[in-house]
Amino acid sequence: MSLKLPYYPELVRVFYSNLKIQDGNLISEVYGIPIIIDESVFFLLTQLPSQGAPFEGTIVDDWKFDYSNHDARHMVCND
């Protein structure tokens, strides 16, 4: 998946650095502006189907051995 439009890496980092999941909503704040993404907004933005395995807060067994919390955080955040 990729964007053809311009994006701003610093704003993406700030968004993910402040990201919380609360009651099934993605909640963040970027430069004092609260951002709340509920399920309907998420599907509207991503245009992903609402089918598939639901995320239940755990990593799928097939991924556990390859998953690195450190590497995942490093991909979206600065040290």
Side-chain angles (χ1 to χ4, degrees):
M1 184 169 24
S2 65
L3 292 173
K4 293 182 181 179
L5 300 173
Y7 67 96
Y8 305 91
E10 180 60 27
L11 295 178
V12 173
R13 283 189 195 98
V14 172
F15 174 83
Y16 280 108
S17 295
N18 296 325
L19 183 64
K20 296 180 220 168
I21 299 175
Q22 194 172 59
D23 298 326
N25 298 323
L26 301 174
I27 300 173
S28 187
E29 187 174 304
V30 178
Y31 297 126
I33 299 171
I35 300 170
I36 301 172
I37 301 175
D38 64 15
E39 188 176 286
S40 63
V41 172
F42 179 80
F43 291 128
L44 181 68
L45 293 172
T46 62
Q47 297 182 359
L48 294 172
S50 60
Q51 308 165 352
F55 180 68
E56 298 174 356
T58 58
I59 298 171
V60 178
D61 286 338
D62 295 344
W63 301 350
K64 283 185 180 178
F65 296 110
D66 295 328
Y67 179 78
S68 163
N69 189 24
H70 176 266
D71 291 343
R73 287 179 184 265
H74 186 71
M75 286 171 45
V76 295
C77 301
N78 286 332
D79 294 335

